[in-house]
Amino acid sequence: MQRPIWRVCAALAMAIGAVVACNGGDPVDTEDELFITATPRQINNQGEASLIEITATKADGLKGTGKVTLKALAGALGNGSLEEQLDLVEGKASTSFTCNKVDPKCTGNVRIDGTWGETTTSVTLVVSGSSTTDGGTTDGGTTPITDGGTGTGDGGVRLTVTTSKATLFTNVGDFAEITASLTQTDGGPRANELITFDTSVGGLQVTSNDPPELSVQAQTNASGQAVVRLVENGVAGTTNVRARHTTSGAQATVPVKITNIQQITYTGTTCGGQACTIMGVNGSGFNEQAQVSFKVVDSTGNPAPGVSVTFTIPNAPTGTTVSPSAITNSQGIATATVSAGPVIGAIVVKAVAITNRVQVDSANIGIRGAKVANQGFSLACDLVNIGVYASANPPAAYNINCKVKVVDRYNNPVGTGTTVNFKVEAGNIENSVATKAYSPTGNNADEGTGTVRFNTTGGTFFPVDVPPLDAAPNQSPFPRDAEPRGPYGQLTANPRDGLVTIIAYTRGEEWFSDSNSNGVRDSGEQFIDQGEPFVDSNDNGIWDSGETYIDEAPADGRWNGPDGTWNNDTSIWTETRMLYTGRPAGNLAGHVYITPAQFAEPCTGGVPKGGLTYVKMYYGDDFFNRPQAQGTAFTASHTASKGAVRVLNSGLLDGYGFGMERRLLNSADQTACTASSAICSWKVLFTDWGNGYVSDAEIKGATAGDTTGCQNDTVTLGTTVLNVTTFSATTGGIQ
């Protein structure tokens, strides 16, 4: 909104009761308003000072910014000259004005002109031989207020008085230094002279150990200066502190406002200059420090500079610290510095200006894991065994959720929201997912996790055909049995032909043990070495030509394996496998059978009365793998009229059906990784093979009191997979 300049002048005249010089004539539109006030409006020409306060407001109502230039027609502004330029803070600025009688113009009306951009205004003071104050108030600020009065007697002296602060605040132990300077009229200092100081509000001290008094005396030093302290005593008001040269009677005053602190508010948290709600634990390299800011205002809502604010963190995680205190700046802002420790948590910073009266808590700040490490980085799918081959036209369509989790070297969830990428040997998967970031206000149960969908359709259907593994009796830490095998068309079938490898990869660091808990890897601390991510399609633990790999550590056109050195910024990865299975291959010898083939010699031995015997059921598919759990059930029957038979498993649990484990091995000799291993690396190990085993079946003899003869018995066991049942039988006798 634009305002006519004559309205500005009229408002100014009403506000200060002074003569206001305006550029007369017709109203001229302007965008801004500038006000200048003088407190007091009448001063003497013997050193009394007036506080000059400036308020600048933009046309849109916002507080003015930039600089204001003041020009006095006589006397001296706060910088000791006729012209002074002031910075606007929250739309305000202040300085002082004195008019010494040695300047012949220091009598009657003296005008001070102000200019802010294109806006001008002025204020007029009355300078006389005696002082009459109007009890006006001052604004906050730390600009020293200078007085330059001249006394009489004793050959003529000049006395000036200044304050280190224009405003004090109650109940915070605030004080200002009041300095009286006594010189000869020719400028020479007057040492060892007695100065009397008086105040009407607060108290005066010569030293900080003295009790506050309304009037004290101090002696000038070699520089002609006497310094006392004006301290607040809990009472608000405005005082003109008077300094009087005892011998000559020369005196000068300086105005100081003592006001109440009204409120402290939290204004924000930054990390590296940017707004943030999350910090990383010590050593993560992510937001390890944060600046938490608070604003203190006085009873008029203006910024309260120079106030000491103390900071604490209630129930801080181990190692997390905060700077103990800070002094508010010219805008009333006090800033705490928080340094994260190695332990995660959620904190608030408590800022206290006046205990139990003026205090506030910051918003929630999370201290979280921030850098992914390759030890706890994991990938797991809701199902691992799926009946993809149990279809007239494979692949059967399956959509499986897989969950990835990212943690730091201390196994804390990484709460920054991390992009994780994926590759598969067969089937189809989303390219990437962003893990859940820490929320200062929400539920963080799934922090650091992300979910993707794996589909059996789309992409490459068949897993890679791989040669069977021979026995490895010296494999550490567990020996490996020879993998089952058999003809399958032109191929040799084995269980690993059904395995599909899925990898997840992201940027992070290779985990290290941090044995001394200093957040930095030191020489000798164990680490997990890892090469570039690759899809291990043939499950042998090494990259082979034709296998997909991620060329980014470094990007040089070839796969790079573990390099034997710890890397703090590299491509890290994890892997999991799914197993494609079918229905039991009843037409293939060695895939579906019961062992032992006879549970007892028919009626030459047989299961004794009251006795039990057991057989094992093997229902392997074309690749010697057991069927999926979902949709699989068992049946059992027998021909004898006595005894009983039952399958011990009521149903299958999801699983591979053979021994496979991703383990850390000592990189030097491929034995088990222990605390003494210098470097370890991940490898998938295979141990024993299930051959399609699904359950034991129990065959029960006749009751102990049975008197009938032995009966031959045929036990028929069945496994139903997705509504198709495969049977097998075993024979024996029931005593």
Side-chain angles (χ1 to χ4, degrees):
M1 177 186 299
Q2 292 190 336
R3 300 170 175 86
I5 192 66
W6 63 266
R7 290 176 55 196
V8 174
C9 296
L12 179 60
M14 292 176 63
I16 66 173
V19 177
V20 179
C22 300
N23 295 325
D26 294 333
V28 179
D29 286 344
T30 180
E31 294 185 352
D32 303 315
E33 288 183 340
L34 181 65
F35 293 91
I36 303 177
T37 62
T39 307
R41 294 184 296 276
Q42 181 174 331
I43 60 175
N44 65 26
N45 61 3
Q46 299 175 20
E48 189 174 8
S50 179
L51 178 64
I52 307 301
E53 294 182 292
I54 302 157
T55 302
T57 306
K58 295 181 179 179
D60 57 8
L62 296 177
K63 296 175 181 178
T65 59
K67 297 180 182 295
V68 173
T69 300
L70 296 181
K71 291 183 180 180
L73 300 183
L77 294 163
N79 62 353
S81 67
L82 292 172
E83 182 173 337
E84 184 175 8
Q85 194 173 67
L86 302 170
D87 292 317
L88 288 169
V89 177
E90 296 286 328
K92 294 180 180 294
S94 63
T95 187
S96 64
F97 174 75
T98 57
C99 214
N100 195 314
K101 68 178 182 179
V102 297
D103 183 345
K105 296 181 181 179
C106 284
T107 182
N109 293 336
V110 177
R111 193 177 76 234
I112 301 174
D113 295 320
T115 302
W116 173 46
E118 299 298 321
T119 304
T120 62
T121 190
S122 64
V123 63
T124 299
L125 293 88
V126 177
V127 181
S128 64
S130 61
S131 174
T132 304
T133 67
D134 62 357
T137 59
T138 62
D139 190 15
T142 57
T143 304
I145 305 302
T146 305
D147 190 357
T150 300
T152 61
D154 195 21
V157 294
R158 183 174 187 268
L159 180 65
T160 62
V161 63
T162 62
T163 177
S164 61
K165 295 181 181 178
T167 299
L168 300 183
F169 299 99
T170 62
N171 298 299
V172 293
D174 204 1
F175 70 92
E177 287 190 342
I178 309 297
T179 302
S181 299
L182 185 67
T183 61
Q184 292 287 117
T185 53
D186 61 4
R190 293 284 295 267
N192 302 317
E193 297 281 348
L194 204 59
I195 306 294
T196 301
F197 296 85
D198 302 295
T199 184
S200 59
V201 182
L204 295 167
Q205 299 172 310
V206 177
T207 72
S208 59
N209 296 323
D210 296 337
E213 304 286 351
L214 293 177
S215 180
V216 297
Q217 289 185 326
Q219 198 171 45
T220 59
N221 58 22
S223 299
Q225 292 185 333
V227 182
V228 298
R229 291 162 42 109
L230 174 66
V231 298
E232 60 87 12
N233 59 4
V235 178
T238 299
T239 180
N240 283 296
V241 180
R242 185 181 66 167
R244 182 170 54 86
H245 181 214
T246 305
T247 302
S248 69
Q251 62 180 6
T253 61
V254 64
V256 180
K257 175 182 175 183
I258 302 177
T259 188
N260 297 318
I261 291 175
Q262 183 70 24
Q263 187 180 34
I264 183 170
T265 56
Y266 163 72
T267 60
T269 301
T270 60
C271 301
Q274 302 295 318
C276 62
T277 58
I278 179 173
M279 300 174 63
V281 294
N282 180 39
S284 67
F286 173 83
N287 290 358
E288 293 182 43
Q289 278 198 341
Q291 286 68 49
V292 187
S293 296
F294 303 85
K295 183 172 185 177
V296 182
V297 296
D298 64 18
S299 58
T300 64
N302 289 315
V307 176
S308 178
V309 178
T310 60
F311 307 113
T312 57
I313 300 176
N315 302 314
T318 301
T320 295
T321 60
V322 64
S323 52
S325 64
I327 302 297
T328 57
N329 61 17
S330 61
Q331 298 179 10
I333 301 295
T335 299
T337 297
V338 177
S339 298
V343 179
I344 66 171
I347 67 168
V348 295
V349 176
K350 177 180 285 295
V352 179
I354 302 176
T355 303
N356 297 326
R357 289 178 52 191
V358 182
Q359 59 189 41
V360 72
D361 289 343
S362 73
N364 185 291
I365 305 167
I367 299 177
R368 319 305 294 170
K371 194 167 193 177
V372 186
N374 63 352
Q375 183 187 56
F377 187 17
S378 63
L379 176 65
C381 299
D382 288 351
L383 294 174
V384 300
N385 186 326
I386 51 177
V388 176
Y389 293 116
S391 169
N393 295 295
Y398 283 85
N399 295 314
I400 308 297
N401 284 332
C402 298
K403 178 177 283 189
V404 66
K405 184 173 184 179
V406 289
V407 298
D408 68 5
R409 76 175 75 104
Y410 305 110
N411 210 37
N412 300 315
V414 172
T416 58
T418 303
T419 298
V420 179
N421 305 292
F422 303 91
K423 295 290 183 184
V424 292
E425 173 186 349
N428 185 34
I429 199 168
E430 298 169 58
N431 289 330
S432 64
V433 68
T435 59
K436 185 177 179 182
Y438 170 79
S439 170
T441 58
N443 185 342
N444 290 292
D446 294 328
E447 179 184 358
T449 67
T451 301
V452 295
R453 296 280 282 181
F454 172 81
N455 304 306
T456 56
T457 56
T460 302
F461 164 51
F462 292 108
V464 173
D465 176 70
V466 297
L469 295 173
D470 294 330
N474 295 322
Q475 176 179 270
S476 176
F478 308 112
R480 183 179 70 216
D481 297 337
E483 188 174 10
R485 64 202 71 189
Y488 184 67
Q490 301 299 313
L491 305 176
T492 299
N494 58 77
R496 289 165 39 253
D497 286 336
L499 279 178
V500 174
T501 301
I502 308 173
I503 68 168
Y505 60 98
T506 189
R507 296 296 294 189
E509 69 174 1
E510 294 177 334
W511 175 89
F512 66 93
S513 59
D514 196 17
S515 304
N516 58 6
S517 300
N518 67 349
V520 178
R521 184 184 178 270
D522 300 298
S523 178
E525 289 182 331
Q526 184 185 99
F527 69 93
I528 298 176
D529 202 8
Q530 201 167 28
E532 288 179 319
F534 73 97
V535 179
D536 188 14
S537 300
N538 64 0
D539 316 302
N540 66 352
I542 59 174
W543 178 81
D544 297 290
S545 179
E547 290 181 329
T548 298
Y549 71 94
I550 312 303
D551 185 24
E552 62 178 22
D556 57 2
R558 63 188 181 90
W559 182 77
N560 294 281
D563 59 7
T565 60
W566 176 73
N567 296 288
N568 69 341
D569 184 14
T570 187
S571 185
I572 61 172
W573 58 288
T574 187
E575 61 185 326
T576 192
R577 283 167 172 77
M578 302 192 73
L579 183 65
Y580 286 5
T581 59
R583 293 187 176 94
N587 59 331
L588 295 178
H591 290 253
V592 176
Y593 57 94
I594 297 173
T595 183
Q598 291 181 322
F599 58 86
E601 291 297 326
C603 283
T604 58
V607 181
K609 292 180 176 64
L612 299 170
T613 192
Y614 299 90
V615 297
K616 293 183 177 297
M617 303 167 59
Y618 292 85
Y619 283 77
D621 67 2
D622 292 337
F623 302 101
F624 302 92
N625 287 317
R626 52 159 262 195
Q628 70 171 26
Q630 189 175 12
T632 297
F634 305 109
T635 60
S637 63
H638 70 134
T639 58
S641 63
K642 58 183 179 178
V645 61
R646 68 187 180 101
V647 178
L648 295 185
N649 282 347
S650 59
L652 288 177
L653 297 177
D654 182 50
Y656 298 103
F658 52 80
M660 180 180 70
E661 184 180 4
R662 186 173 186 255
R663 291 184 64 93
L664 282 171
L665 301 180
N666 188 323
S667 297
D669 56 14
Q670 297 298 290
T671 60
C673 177
T674 66
S676 62
S677 302
I679 306 175
C680 298
S681 56
W682 290 106
K683 189 171 183 180
V684 174
L685 298 180
F686 297 89
T687 53
D688 56 339
W689 306 94
N691 291 76
Y693 170 76
V694 294
S695 181
D696 279 9
E698 177 188 86
I699 303 171
K700 187 176 183 179
T703 61
D706 179 73
T707 58
T708 62
C710 177
Q711 295 182 9
N712 292 329
D713 195 13
T714 298
V715 173
T716 301
L717 302 172
T719 296
T720 301
V721 179
L722 298 174
N723 302 314
V724 176
T725 304
T726 302
F727 295 101
S728 57
T730 182
T731 59
I734 304 293
Q735 290 289 349

